[in-house]
Amino acid sequence: MATNKTVGKTNTLGLTREDYKGNKSTLCPGCGHDSISNQIISVAYDVGLKQENVIKLSGIGCSSKTPAYFLGRSHAFNAIHGRMPSIATGATLANHELTAIGVSGDGDTGSIGLGQFKHMMRRNVPMVYIIENNGVYGLTKGQFSATADAGQELKYYGKNEYPAIDLCMEAIVGGATFVARSFSGHAEQVRALLKAALAHRGTAVIDIISPCVTFNNNPNSNKSYDYGKANEIPLHEIELIPEGFVPEREEISIDPDKMESYEAGQEILVRMHDGTFIRLQKVGPDHDPRSKAQALALLEKVGMEQLFLTGLIYYEEPRPTLLDTLHVVDTPLARLQGDTLRPPKEALDKLMQSMM
Amino acid sequence: MGVIDLPAESQMQQTGERIVNDFSFMVATKNGSGSQTSNSTIVRALFKMGIPVNGKNLFPSNIKGLPTWYTIRVSKDGYTARRSRVEIVVTFNEMTAAEDIVNLPPGGVCILPQEWNWTKSRSDIIYYEVPVKDTVRQFDIPTERREQVSNMVYVGVVAKLYDIPLETIHQALSDQFNGKPKPVQMNYQVVEAAYHWAADNLQKLDRFHIEPMDKTKGKIIITGNEAAALGALFGGVTVTAWYPITPSTSLVDAMLDYKHLRRDPVTGKDTVAIVQAEDEIAAIGMIVGAGWAGARAMTATSGPGISLMSEFAGLAYFAEIPIVVWDVTRMGPSTGLPTRTSQGDILFTYFLGHGDTHHICLIPGSVEECFEFGWRAFDLAEQFQTPVFVLSDLDLGMNNWMAEPFQYPTEPINRGKVLDKEALERFIAEKGEWYRYRDYDQDGISYRTLPGTDHPRAAYFTRGTGHNDQAIYSERSTDWVQNMERLRRKFENARKVVPQPVVDYDAGKQIGLISFGSNDPAVQEVRDRLAAEGIETNYLRLRALPLTPNVHDFVLNHERIYVIENNFDGQMAQVLRMEIPGDTRHIRSLALGDGLPMTPRWIYDNIKRYEGK
Ligand SMILES: Cc1ncc(C[n+]2csc(CCOP(=O)(O)OP(=O)(O)O)c2C)c(N)n1
Ligand code: SF4
Ligand SMILES: [Mg+2]
């Protein structure tokens, strides 16, 4: 954790890491979700995120409680089960200058909220959407969720007979423009992905396997810490390179459709909308996240072979966001006042005249 | 209930007298045949002649083929309620023709296509047969338009038989098509041909006459949904999210039509965003998110949509987020009668959400009030930081009504207790603190900040879970109760501020009528009729829930109270019995709920029955 290194230090906004914390967590000690909250705090501190411009949104679940535990100076909305995407849609429509960070669970997103999740991505609502995926419903005491693998067993609920829903696959098919998978035990990668997602313009989905220590941490569950530690295969090391910092020579262009395998240590630079780059230094299997076909094929393989691959799975040049498509004024709608909100009396009189 | 009409309404009988500007038409066609244009043309033409007129569409839940009826009431006295009987039918649908003429009174009129070669089964009515096909055939009309244009034949014949000038028809058509010459000409040529054919071939035998008046001067004609959309646009709506459902769809359609009112002339960009959601849960979710972030946000829906919205309605109530929800009510339970009117969502909407939830509901009784509540709803929602429901209905929302031109909002936009950066600074300087749900003014309404407020203490945590007045999660009973008591205080304050009922009261009258919404024209008419027979009534028209204190007085000051409403269970009567402190055994519920707009006849029969006269 970054705490030790930063004691007493301040970031670009003159704030300490402490200033980015929220209330004390009330989750079970060791819950994977807490470690994700910590990475959010670290990243926000590192990049000098202005908390007053951030909104934290969530549904219902242990995971959805976590916005209370980070960024205490940000407005938050802990809404209802599975419906956070619609709240995010409305809030970002009302004020497009806000940075929206959503936290959801695999139940919240993959079951009750699957419809809203997909429609949010289809509309390209600009936000970071984090799924804290533990394969169970933590808050209702350990029922299977839709991301539990077929064949998995739980003490009380027995065997899960149904295939898992892969939320990254759903995200890509649904139209998300940034899709990643990570592991809450892999703090460094979570941070790198969060940084990249925050820089992205559009829906950025990060599906983070986040063990539920109380209901689903048996080593033979593929959502457990032990399993994750033993089996995680990172695709690449991820680093965000700010605009203007990329040495010319390093930009190698690979046609994703005809990509030949590239050597370990070789890298892919993904250019983002504002000139920032995501540097992906290969450490695992070949993968170019700029190819939808590759991304889907990779996830298909992941499902067949039960692989725990992590990293940036899919990236797409940002499409217009929902707001871009609506042709509304540049000033956030929430800030419009007086005359802009009410047409003049003459406009009404003219209209009435035309109806007589 | 029978279909006989109020005595004076059918004074025609066999007396041979001329009947001027006081009768009803019914046009029977097939759904999807485009008859709406023809019917609206007649309504608009009559309106232009200065004659009070009201058109009602009684249509099936179907896109094409099923029978549909349109009634047009002409009333020199200005009555606009639906009558259960008509004197003239245009039967252009062979499927229903036999049924359509059964209820015609003796001396009534049936206008029908000549090519049917129909057996005229009634000798006591007048038939006018018109060559529809032959008239249309003279013109070069694209096949896909032919059916719609055929309906213009009856427009021409009606115009001739009842002295509507061709010129007025032309103007009405021009209004219909926004002055576009091509469709106007295509339709008008058929009207003209039918008119001339009627002049040459029909001998007028009936006693009904239209004569110009000057009773519509300065008035407009509009549907309640269009009025509501305009009201919202003048009320500063900035986010609308919706999911299509009859009969609310035309409200949002009208917002799209009139969106230009909210276009920034410099940039050409809009100050309102309209989003079609994937369902009603998402629609209300979006406006809850938008309302929370500071937008004036609304949705429009009907029964099934309201059902889906209940969880979010409870959240918005408890988390205190301003939103406006229009329920253009249709007939339930369930999918019910999707294209029929009802006032059956009162109890459900008033208490929408689990737990101890209740909402402010506005109930417009005219298109003018649809406009007014269109903007006022936002002010109330933001003032009280709570959802405001507007209960309109299909009759009001989708039918054309005469109205006074809308009055420009009489009050400035009220954004309620919102602390921006500077205000928050001052607040904290003065009070040493700011907590989201603390009742600083003892009115139950606390101060909110909007996301994005650039102040380190502006943030708070919004949640549907139990919270104390600092917006911090709490399961303590005392915190819970304290919060609920504040919410109750807020609601009690709203009682004094919501639109007051319209009351016509005279001490000394023993009968009080209570009604609301689109029943108003029928109640007004029945009061006149009863008064003519010596039965004097007072009248209170509710315009909002919760009930304002003067409603209590009205109820308790009468010997007999009749609550007239268009639902099956007498829902408003239940609200009155529940809320009025005192003996309410003298409240009698007159609840109809048959899917059709309220008629004076039905109210009359029922009151007479109880009054024993
Ligand atoms: C409409 C509704 N149905 C059911 C619930 C009960 N419920 C609360 S949390 C939850 C599941 C949460 O699972 P997940 O999103 O995976 O979160 P986790 O607790 O595992 O982090 C359920 C079913 C609810 N709050 N609302
Ligand atoms: S039940 Fe599981 S998910 Fe919930 S807090 Fe405990 S460990 Fe975390
Ligand atoms: Mg879970």
Side-chain angles (χ1 to χ4, degrees):
Chain A
M1 228 132 290
T3 326
N4 290 338
K5 284 184 279 169
T6 58
V7 166
K9 287 194 191 164
T10 56
N11 67 3
T12 47
L13 296 179
L15 297 173
T16 65
R17 189 176 180 281
E18 203 63 24
D19 293 327
Y20 283 86
K21 289 188 171 170
N23 296 337
K24 204 174 149 319
S25 169
T26 59
L27 302 185
C28 306
C31 174
H33 303 347
D34 276 338
S35 114
I36 298 169
S37 299
N38 272 322
Q39 305 326 321
I40 296 173
I41 293 170
S42 292
V43 167
Y45 167 76
D46 283 352
V47 305
L49 199 63
K50 192 162 163 54
Q51 293 179 70
E52 289 79 359
N53 278 345
V54 172
I55 48 173
K56 304 173 291 181
L57 311 164
S58 61
I60 296 289
C62 296
S63 34
S64 292
K65 286 183 176 185
T66 63
Y69 316 140
F70 59 83
L71 310 192
R73 295 187 188 179
S74 298
H75 274 78
F77 199 154
N78 176 203
I80 52 176
H81 197 22
R83 318 298 179 192
M84 177 258 279
S86 59
I87 295 280
T89 307
T92 54
L93 265 184
N95 188 344
H96 61 85
E97 289 176 357
L98 300 170
T99 300
I101 302 176
V103 181
S104 176
D106 43 317
D108 199 63
T109 292
S111 295
I112 192 167
L114 194 57
Q116 292 214 342
F117 176 58
K118 299 206 83 159
H119 284 277
M120 165 197 67
M121 297 183 293
R122 173 173 173 259
R123 295 190 183 98
N124 201 21
V125 172
M127 76 177 300
V128 178
Y129 190 100
I130 300 164
I131 305 155
E132 304 187 340
N133 186 348
N134 52 17
V136 287
Y137 292 0
L139 194 58
T140 51
K141 298 198 186 298
Q143 299 80 12
F144 281 116
S145 83
T147 64
D149 275 311
Q152 202 204 319
E153 300 208 20
L154 286 172
K155 222 178 5 197
Y156 188 78
Y157 289 97
K159 190 163 151 205
N160 169 39
E161 301 284 356
Y162 316 108
I165 287 181
D166 183 326
L167 292 173
C168 286
M169 181 103 79
E170 295 298 333
I172 296 170
V173 174
T177 45
F178 180 115
V179 180
R181 172 160 293 143
S182 194
F183 174 43
S184 71
H186 190 166
E188 203 182 310
Q189 190 193 53
V190 171
R191 285 200 297 272
L193 285 170
L194 279 171
K195 276 186 196 168
L198 280 167
H200 183 63
R201 195 165 182 278
T203 314
V205 175
I206 314 180
D207 176 26
I208 307 178
I209 305 306
S210 172
C212 168
V213 293
T214 304
F215 296 111
N216 196 14
N217 201 28
N218 190 314
N220 59 27
S221 158
N222 64 6
K223 302 284 192 301
S224 69
Y225 272 119
D226 287 350
Y227 181 91
K229 290 220 168 90
N231 295 287
E232 187 201 354
I233 309 169
L235 289 166
H236 34 233
E237 274 169 15
I238 304 159
E239 193 190 351
L240 194 69
I241 306 170
E243 192 186 354
F245 279 78
V246 178
E248 206 62 38
R249 59 174 177 82
E250 284 191 37
E251 187 162 358
I252 48 171
S253 66
I254 301 172
D255 178 351
D257 296 329
K258 295 185 263 168
M259 196 187 71
E260 294 144 33
S261 83
Y262 60 118
E263 299 297 313
Q266 215 175 319
E267 60 189 40
I268 290 181
L269 287 163
V270 177
R271 182 198 287 275
M272 302 185 79
H273 70 102
D274 61 351
T276 308
F277 283 86
I278 309 170
R279 188 210 307 261
L280 302 171
Q281 197 152 9
K282 175 180 153 110
V283 295
D286 296 341
H287 180 57
D288 188 332
R290 292 169 298 185
S291 157
K292 195 179 254 185
Q294 277 195 34
L296 290 172
L298 186 78
L299 292 174
E300 186 61 30
K301 192 168 136 101
V302 160
M304 300 286 282
E305 300 174 19
Q306 302 237 321
L307 301 174
F308 184 20
L309 280 174
T310 62
L312 181 60
I313 291 172
Y314 182 60
Y315 182 86
E316 187 181 305
E317 289 276 315
R319 299 181 272 127
T321 63
L322 172 61
L323 198 85
D324 295 337
T325 65
L326 291 171
H327 309 290
V328 294
V329 290
D330 298 338
T331 313
L333 295 171
R335 294 226 193 94
L336 298 177
Q337 299 291 347
D339 288 355
T340 12
L341 290 178
R342 176 166 288 167
K345 184 168 185 303
E346 298 71 63
L348 181 65
D349 291 345
K350 201 171 133 203
L351 195 67
M352 292 297 106
Q353 203 63 44
S354 75
M355 289 180 182
M356 283 176 196
Chain B
M1 208 45 54
V3 283
I4 43 165
D5 245 303
L6 293 184
E9 281 180 350
S10 49
Q11 82 281 58
M12 45 173 293
Q13 296 311 328
Q14 300 287 10
T15 59
E17 246 173 76
R18 267 169 66 88
I19 295 166
V20 180
N21 296 351
D22 193 14
F23 50 90
S24 296
F25 293 94
M26 179 171 82
V27 181
T29 51
K30 281 195 197 119
N31 204 34
S33 69
S35 54
Q36 186 70 7
T37 316
S38 301
N39 300 332
S40 299
T41 302
I42 297 177
V43 170
R44 277 174 196 280
L46 292 167
F47 176 76
K48 282 176 187 299
M49 291 175 74
I51 306 161
V53 61
N54 180 268
K56 286 191 198 299
N57 198 2
L58 309 174
F59 62 109
S61 178
N62 161 267
I63 299 300
K64 229 170 163 53
L66 286 188
T68 183
W69 294 270
Y70 192 87
T71 62
I72 300 169
R73 177 171 186 186
V74 184
S75 166
K76 60 181 172 13
D77 302 316
Y79 293 129
T80 53
R82 184 175 78 91
R83 292 172 65 234
S84 45
R85 184 155 72 179
V86 298
E87 286 76 20
I88 301 168
V89 288
V90 176
T91 56
F92 266 44
N93 181 0
E94 218 168 346
M95 269 157 71
T96 62
E99 208 186 313
D100 292 336
I101 63 161
V102 166
N103 294 326
L104 277 176
V109 175
C110 171
I111 300 170
L112 74 164
Q114 205 171 56
E115 50 267 35
W116 286 0
N117 284 321
W118 217 42
T119 318
K120 300 177 195 67
S121 54
R122 283 184 63 175
S123 56
D124 60 340
I125 63 172
I126 295 140
Y127 292 90
Y128 297 114
E129 289 177 293
V130 297
V132 179
K133 285 218 170 86
D134 287 347
T135 309
V136 178
R137 204 172 286 141
Q138 307 165 38
F139 304 99
D140 182 23
I141 288 159
T143 352
E144 73 278 8
R145 299 263 104 218
R146 196 154 289 177
E147 196 180 8
Q148 180 256 307
V149 169
S150 297
N151 289 316
M152 287 294 155
V153 173
Y154 68 72
V155 178
V157 172
V158 164
K160 176 69 200 99
L161 285 171
Y162 302 102
D163 297 326
I164 305 173
L166 272 178
E167 202 184 293
T168 315
I169 297 278
H170 192 271
Q171 282 168 12
L173 270 172
S174 190
D175 283 0
Q176 290 273 332
F177 293 106
N178 290 319
K180 288 191 205 101
K182 246 177 108 177
V184 173
Q185 183 48 30
M186 183 168 65
N187 287 283
Y188 182 69
Q189 63 192 9
V190 176
V191 176
E192 203 179 19
Y195 185 97
H196 292 311
W197 179 89
D200 297 341
N201 298 282
L202 292 182
Q203 192 196 344
K204 182 167 166 89
L205 298 170
D206 65 90
R207 292 191 295 278
F208 301 100
H209 297 269
I210 300 268
E211 285 174 8
M213 297 176 78
D214 62 351
K215 284 211 174 169
T216 65
K217 212 162 163 229
K219 290 205 159 111
I220 60 165
I221 195 159
I222 192 168
T223 66
N225 281 349
E226 289 169 287
L230 285 172
L233 290 167
F234 278 86
V237 59
T238 46
V239 173
T240 298
W242 69 297
Y243 189 73
I245 184 166
T246 304
S248 68
T249 301
S250 62
L251 197 162
V252 181
D253 286 349
M255 289 188 89
L256 291 164
D257 288 344
Y258 290 115
K259 201 163 67 142
H260 58 83
L261 287 165
R262 294 284 300 281
R263 195 155 291 154
D264 177 34
V266 183
T267 59
K269 291 181 176 176
D270 297 332
T271 57
V272 54
I274 301 174
V275 181
Q276 186 182 323
E278 61 269 30
D279 57 33
E280 288 87 347
I281 303 178
I284 189 170
M286 287 178 196
I287 67 167
V288 168
W292 172 71
R296 301 205 119 189
M298 70 169 271
T299 186
T301 188
S302 194
I306 288 287
S307 287
L308 284 182
M309 289 178 182
S310 60
E311 191 184 10
F312 258 124
L315 172 69
Y317 173 77
F318 193 58
E320 300 181 61
I321 293 161
I323 54 167
V324 172
V325 179
W326 278 76
D327 175 8
V328 186
T329 316
R330 66 189 220 181
M331 185 58 93
S334 192
T335 306
L337 299 172
T339 59
R340 294 297 151 91
T341 197
S342 162
Q343 296 176 323
D345 291 349
I346 291 157
L347 284 170
F348 184 57
T349 310
Y350 192 24
F351 300 112
L352 194 66
H354 54 274
D356 298 303
T357 312
H358 23 74
H359 302 287
I360 295 173
C361 299
L362 308 184
I363 313 173
S366 62
V367 287
E368 289 94 329
E369 284 179 358
C370 286
F371 178 79
E372 184 192 333
F373 295 174
W375 58 266
R376 203 181 276 286
F378 290 107
D379 293 341
L380 284 166
E382 291 203 306
Q383 180 180 353
F384 288 95
Q385 302 177 11
T386 198
V388 169
F389 289 84
V390 190
L391 297 171
S392 175
D393 64 35
L394 183 144
D395 183 24
L396 190 51
M398 289 188 73
N399 287 322
N400 271 302
W401 298 80
M402 281 187 314
E404 294 301 327
F406 300 150
Q407 202 188 352
Y408 194 69
T410 45
E411 283 148 54
I413 286 177
N414 180 356
R415 310 247 24 200
K417 296 183 191 176
V418 178
L419 299 174
D420 61 11
K421 183 186 177 184
E422 291 73 30
L424 179 63
E425 217 130 72
R426 285 195 301 272
F427 197 96
I428 293 175
E430 192 188 313
K431 301 215 157 59
E433 58 167 50
W434 164 75
Y435 292 118
R436 170 65 180 98
Y437 297 114
R438 190 156 286 184
D439 194 2
Y440 292 102
D441 303 333
Q442 293 307 310
D443 57 359
I445 307 168
S446 38
Y447 291 79
R448 65 177 185 138
T449 57
L450 302 181
T453 304
D454 191 9
H455 192 291
R457 287 170 72 177
Y460 68 96
F461 201 94
T462 308
R463 44 167 39 106
T465 41
H467 44 265
N468 63 15
D469 66 359
Q470 303 185 16
I472 290 169
Y473 181 73
S474 170
E475 296 181 2
R476 290 168 61 147
S477 309
T478 45
D479 284 338
W480 180 268
V481 170
Q482 191 185 47
N483 191 43
M484 293 305 280
E485 281 173 345
R486 183 180 53 78
L487 288 174
R488 178 177 290 163
R489 203 148 54 237
K490 183 162 94 163
F491 200 66
E492 287 307 313
N493 276 320
R495 203 183 280 287
K496 297 172 213 147
V497 180
V498 295
Q500 300 291 305
V502 176
V503 187
D504 182 11
Y505 180 77
D506 224 343
K509 293 183 191 168
Q510 274 115 44
I511 304 172
L513 308 183
I514 295 181
S515 196
F516 54 91
S518 61
N519 307 331
D520 186 50
V523 179
Q524 300 275 13
E525 187 172 345
V526 93
R527 289 184 72 212
D528 289 352
R529 194 75 63 198
L530 289 170
E533 293 178 25
I535 304 174
E536 297 285 347
T537 57
N538 286 323
Y539 177 32
L540 180 145
R541 179 167 66 84
L542 291 165
R543 301 197 301 160
L545 291 173
L547 298 179
T548 51
N550 54 349
V551 180
H552 305 177
D553 299 340
F554 185 88
V555 169
L556 299 176
N557 284 345
H558 287 95
E559 257 171 47
R560 294 185 295 290
I561 290 282
Y562 293 96
V563 182
I564 300 151
E565 53 192 311
N566 210 347
N567 55 57
F568 199 75
D569 283 348
Q571 299 185 19
M572 192 61 89
Q574 294 183 47
V575 172
L576 289 161
R577 290 186 188 118
M578 190 165 54
E579 289 200 5
I580 288 173
D583 189 347
T584 53
R585 279 174 297 178
H586 62 302
I587 291 181
R588 205 179 284 274
S589 166
L590 301 186
L592 175 61
D594 64 354
L596 299 173
M598 185 68 74
T599 60
R601 171 88 245 187
W602 183 84
I603 306 172
Y604 175 89
D605 285 346
N606 276 281
I607 292 181
K608 288 282 278 192
R609 186 151 58 93
Y610 288 120
E611 290 299 317
K613 289 180 192 169

